[in-house]
Amino acid sequence: MVPTDFKALILRFYHLQSERVDTYRLFEEQLVHEITQAFCGISTEMLEIKGKLHHDFDRPALSEHIDKLQSKEKQKLELTVKLQLARQRAQDHPEDEGCQEQIQEIKHEIIKNKEALSEIMQDVKYDSEELD
């Protein structure tokens, strides 16, 4: 259930983002199906928050930040899967030196992605406190 008052909505947003970060930590420990379900549930509620911020609270900037966040989180998930596959390939083919190079490239992309996510979160923080 998505909260209806502004402050609770912003707090729920932060909680969901934190939950998403924690879910990434479970990536290697859980089945892909369970992870996919968790991300799907989080994304669905994030989209509800986005809609409420835009329509109920007339905060299109915050809504736009959530759009950007969702896009970057999708990219992060894809990169995380790509990294897992590259690690598996490196384990299966230790003689292939290109595998380690590919792993490093993907890790670099993940770092850039996390930096972009951090910037978006800063924008959310600034814009949600602006008219609080």
Side-chain angles (χ1 to χ4, degrees), residues 63-76:
S63 178
E64 187 177 313
H65 295 322
I66 291 176
D67 263 344
K68 290 177 185 175
L69 186 79
Q70 289 291 98
S71 176
K72 286 294 178 187
E73 286 291 356
K74 180 179 184 231
Q75 180 186 32
K76 182 180 175 185

Side-chain angles (χ1 to χ4, degrees), residues 26-48:
L26 296 174
F27 196 80
E28 293 182 36
E29 302 167 15
Q30 298 290 320
L31 299 173
V32 173
H33 177 72
E34 292 172 7
I35 292 168
T36 302
Q37 283 184 321
F39 281 130
C40 184
I42 291 167
S43 289
T44 299
E45 195 169 348
M46 283 286 206
L47 292 173
E48 289 177 25

Side-chain angles (χ1 to χ4, degrees), residues 1 12-13 17 23 36 50 53 59-60 78-79 88 98 102 106:
M1 181 78 183
R12 183 64 183 150
F13 165 80
Q17 185 61 18
T23 302
T36 302
K50 174 189 165 245
L53 287 170
R59 301 295 288 271
E78 291 167 353
L79 288 168
Q88 185 62 49
Q102 183 183 26
I106 297 168

Side-chain angles (χ1 to χ4, degrees), residues 65-113:
H65 295 322
I66 291 176
D67 263 344
K68 290 177 185 175
L69 186 79
Q70 289 291 98
S71 176
K72 286 294 178 187
E73 286 291 356
K74 180 179 184 231
Q75 180 186 32
K76 182 180 175 185
L77 180 58
E78 291 167 353
L79 288 168
T80 303
V81 169
K82 194 173 170 181
L83 179 61
Q84 288 304 109
L85 292 172
R87 284 179 173 159
Q88 185 62 49
R89 196 169 22 255
Q91 188 175 355
D92 293 346
H93 305 284
E95 73 285 353
D96 186 350
E97 295 174 12
C99 290
Q100 289 304 320
E101 186 177 314
Q102 183 183 26
I103 288 171
Q104 291 309 312
E105 288 173 8
I106 297 168
K107 283 182 176 181
H108 182 69
E109 287 182 60
I110 289 172
I111 289 169
K112 289 192 313 190
N113 177 276

